Amino acid sequence: MRADLFAQHAALEERHWWFQGRTAIIADLVDQLAAGRPAEIVDVGCGTGALVRRLAPHHRVIGFDPSPDAVALARQLGGPGVQVERATTIDEMRPALAHARIVLLMDVLEHLRDDFFVASELVAAMAPGAMLIVTVPADPALWSSHDIAFAHYRRYTRVRLQQLWAGLPVTTRLVSPLNRRLRPLVRMVRGLHRRRWRSPAGHSDLTLPIRPVNTLLRHIFASERIDLMQALSLGMTELPGAGVSWLTVLQREYGSCLVRTRPAGIAADQHDPDARHVAA
């Protein structure tokens, strides 16, 4: 991600409806999975640290990110108990991952050329019984200049996401669309962006609405946590429908995990951030 977008994240993540809604959902899921007790948590690709700051008062959290700009901003904004470190490989995080009860991977995989390699390497580093919470952007039809600006390789279908975990020693606790209720609005905005902005560098739609609208959107998005927590409580492994993102909760099982690269036959990515070229 571009350095200016990290600064934009830091300025907005405490106020913007999307950041606030997602943080509220993940914080409640973490508390439920931790059964109300303090837990060792690792946030992989923590960015500027909003989730680390939210969880630190109640859990023992460490965030890792490869960007020195993101780490610097996270430390600048951090408070008591907030720990954020720079790491560019899973190996550098391995000691923390081995002790983590919950691992967070929030909107990271879409930034990786070989998401199969990183997903399998991460599972291999986790302890049996640990939980992994993953979010990724959903629905290739929602692709827009926003994705280009944020250096995404792809948006995920349900099948493409589940291919990442197939054959790995994990049990799927939940797969669910996320940001379901606001999907029509997001689709309309993304469609407008596709027609209006055509720069290879892309244009982000991450702007702060006026306060009443921002508050309404935040409440609509965050209210989805009720369905998600109920699904986990009832043992439901899948929720139907479509959303702007996918949320997956996985549990690491016993057994060795073979680290693998992207298999042949996987659908081509929508974009190559390094080449700054959108696939036809």
Side-chain angles (χ1 to χ4, degrees):
M1 191 188 304
R2 302 193 318 252
D4 62 312
L5 291 177
F6 278 122
Q8 188 179 9
H9 265 239
L12 290 178
E13 64 185 354
E14 303 294 345
R15 297 182 294 152
H16 192 279
W17 65 268
W18 186 86
F19 288 109
Q20 289 185 324
R22 190 190 69 167
T23 297
I25 290 169
I26 300 304
D28 277 4
L29 288 177
V30 164
D31 287 342
Q32 180 164 331
L33 292 172
R37 299 189 298 272
E40 300 281 350
I41 298 172
V42 174
D43 188 355
V44 177
C46 67
T48 52
L51 263 174
V52 177
R53 292 192 294 276
R54 174 67 177 267
L55 296 172
H58 310 289
H59 301 279
R60 296 175 293 276
V61 192
I62 180 170
F64 293 102
D65 200 273
S67 167
D69 297 309
V71 171
L73 284 166
R75 289 174 175 173
Q76 179 182 334
L77 295 167
V82 172
Q83 182 180 2
V84 177
E85 304 293 340
R86 184 168 184 246
T88 58
T89 66
I90 296 296
D91 276 342
E92 294 173 278
M93 312 176 206
R94 198 173 298 276
L97 289 169
H99 292 93
R101 185 176 174 190
I102 298 172
V103 177
L104 306 176
L105 193 65
M106 304 285 100
D107 293 281
V108 172
L109 292 170
E110 65 273 17
H111 297 280
L112 305 174
R113 182 182 295 278
D114 192 344
D115 50 343
F116 283 83
F117 177 77
V118 173
S120 60
E121 194 178 26
L122 181 60
V123 170
M126 292 170 57
M131 298 289 182
L132 174 61
I133 306 177
V134 181
T135 59
V136 294
D139 191 355
L142 292 177
W143 184 269
S144 75
S145 289
H146 176 86
D147 295 283
I148 298 174
F150 279 82
H152 293 176
Y153 281 90
R154 67 195 75 84
R155 300 185 72 89
Y156 287 80
T157 64
R158 188 188 292 261
V159 170
R160 176 65 173 81
L161 177 62
Q162 291 176 320
Q163 287 173 329
L164 284 173
W165 319 117
L168 298 183
V170 296
T171 296
T172 300
R173 294 284 301 272
L174 181 65
V175 177
S176 174
L178 193 63
N179 207 355
R180 307 185 311 275
R181 293 164 185 153
L182 293 172
R183 181 177 179 273
L185 176 62
V186 172
R187 184 164 188 167
M188 180 187 70
V189 171
R190 296 288 170 84
L192 290 172
H193 284 186
R194 276 196 297 271
R195 289 191 289 271
R196 182 174 178 184
W197 289 291
R198 300 186 182 278
S199 162
H203 179 96
S204 169
D205 56 21
L206 193 63
T207 55
L208 187 67
I210 60 173
R211 182 176 296 179
V213 174
N214 192 64
T215 300
L216 175 62
L217 295 175
R218 182 185 71 235
H219 283 308
I220 293 172
F221 184 19
S223 68
E224 294 183 14
R225 58 188 168 178
I226 298 171
D227 293 338
L228 294 167
M229 293 174 68
Q230 184 178 47
L232 277 175
S233 296
L234 296 175
M236 299 171 62
T237 58
E238 292 200 22
L239 289 180
V244 181
S245 300
W246 291 108
L247 180 140
T248 303
V249 181
L250 304 167
Q251 185 168 11
R252 175 67 156 98
E253 302 296 345
Y254 285 93
S256 61
C257 180
L258 179 64
V259 176
R260 61 190 183 183
T261 57
R262 177 172 170 152
I266 298 298
D269 293 331
Q270 292 169 275
H271 177 61
D272 184 345
D274 297 326
R276 296 186 177 273
H277 173 71
V278 181

